[in-house]
Amino acid sequence: MVETPRRKAFPPRTFRRPSVIPGFGISFGYTLACLGLVVLLPLAGLVVKASGLGLSGIWQVATDPRVASALRLSFGVSALAALVASTFGFLVAWVLTRYRFPGRKIVDAAVDLPFALPTAVAGIALASLYAPDGLIGAPLARLGIQAAYTPVGIFIAMVFIGLPFAVRTVQPLIAEIDREIEEASATLGASRLATLTRVVLPPLIPAVLTGFALAFARGVGEYGSIIFIAGNLPYVSEIAPLLIVIKLAEFDYGGAAAIATIMLGISFLTLLAINLIQAWSRRRFGYV
């Protein structure tokens, strides 16, 4: 009699994994409750408020020339500022991590100043510096460049507030990269550019994208540090958050909720795309 091979028993699938923190049920419930109360419930209320206008009403708000111009300005300048902040943030993080020089700790602490400064203080400081008669704005004005009260001023403010995110997300990973890897690459005959692009950058790409996403999200929603340097001219330098404030001042709560919902949808799709690129980069380069 031939014995039938027994099927190997597999443990039931579960999404719970072992953890050093006991009480999974309580911890998981507390997480969902906090996420729902702090994030999901306010966003749901915003969407419900905007839905009172109907799809046609929201579309009418979105296609209004002034609203469309403000949305293009906010998202376009935010993306460009996040790209610049990510590039220079990588360089700043590399210098602070790999080099030792007098005053390094002071420079390292100064990176976090945009976190600590009230947004209004940052906006006033930037407007004073880049105004036509300011310390930086005056030389630029002699060159025919006006920074303050134009989209250029908005770009400067967004880079200012986004740079710390770009630096702090990349800096810990740079510290973990072993110098021996770079030395081995150089020993094998690789140039500095090849070492940078094939050895150093691949494990840092997810962190760079994270810094970009954080800087972009902060720039899109920023208000206080921008309105002082933007000039707030309709169709020129008026950002979408300012339009929301204007709508609220006019007691047009439905219009304000519609603009906020449109911004929420665009931001969600943009951040989803960035997260998908992050996941692809992890699979492509083999880093997690």
Side-chain angles (χ1 to χ4, degrees), residues 14-287:
T14 177
F15 61 92
R16 184 175 65 179
R17 294 183 179 182
S19 173
V20 296
I21 301 178
F24 171 78
I26 298 177
S27 301
F28 187 70
Y30 179 78
T31 300
L32 293 181
C34 289
L35 182 64
L37 292 175
V38 177
V39 179
L40 299 181
L41 187 60
L43 295 181
L46 174 65
V47 174
V48 170
K49 184 67 177 179
S51 64
L53 298 177
L55 292 177
S56 60
I58 296 176
W59 177 254
Q60 185 177 0
V61 172
T63 54
D64 180 80
R66 185 176 179 181
V67 175
S69 176
L71 290 172
R72 284 195 302 268
L73 180 65
S74 292
F75 284 94
V77 177
S78 295
L80 181 60
L83 180 62
V84 174
S86 299
T87 302
F88 286 97
F90 172 79
L91 297 176
V92 172
W94 184 270
V95 171
L96 292 176
T97 304
R98 289 303 181 91
Y99 298 100
R100 297 293 181 267
F101 53 89
R104 185 180 67 88
K105 292 185 177 180
I106 297 177
V107 176
D108 190 47
V111 171
D112 294 327
L113 278 179
F115 287 149
L117 283 177
T119 55
V121 174
I124 294 173
L126 292 174
S128 301
L129 284 174
Y130 289 94
D133 57 347
L135 182 63
I136 301 177
L140 292 177
R142 288 193 291 268
L143 297 175
I145 302 174
Q146 183 177 351
Y149 318 127
T150 65
V152 177
I154 299 175
F155 169 78
I156 293 172
M158 288 184 177
V159 172
F160 175 80
I161 61 177
L163 185 65
F165 292 99
V167 175
R168 296 310 183 200
T169 53
V170 179
Q171 193 173 5
L173 293 183
I174 294 178
E176 293 179 0
I177 296 178
D178 195 346
R179 292 176 180 266
E180 294 181 357
I181 299 177
E182 302 172 37
E183 294 174 357
S185 176
T187 303
L188 294 174
S191 63
R192 290 188 177 184
L193 180 61
T195 301
L196 177 65
T197 56
R198 298 183 180 181
V199 177
V200 175
L201 284 182
L204 299 179
I205 288 178
V208 172
L209 290 175
T210 300
F212 175 87
L214 293 174
F216 173 79
R218 175 67 188 277
V220 168
E222 182 62 20
Y223 176 78
S225 61
I226 293 179
I227 58 172
F228 293 98
I229 194 175
N232 308 320
L233 298 176
Y235 305 100
V236 177
S237 59
E238 188 177 53
I239 58 175
L242 177 60
L243 269 184
I244 295 176
V245 174
I246 293 174
K247 293 288 186 181
L248 292 175
E250 296 173 350
F251 301 101
D252 185 6
Y253 300 116
I259 298 174
T261 302
I262 295 169
M263 294 185 65
L264 175 63
I266 298 175
S267 299
F268 175 78
L269 293 176
T270 304
L271 295 178
L272 177 62
I274 294 173
N275 287 333
L276 292 176
I277 296 174
Q278 282 181 314
W280 172 84
S281 67
R282 291 188 180 99
R283 293 193 302 269
R284 171 66 176 81
F285 298 108
Y287 296 96

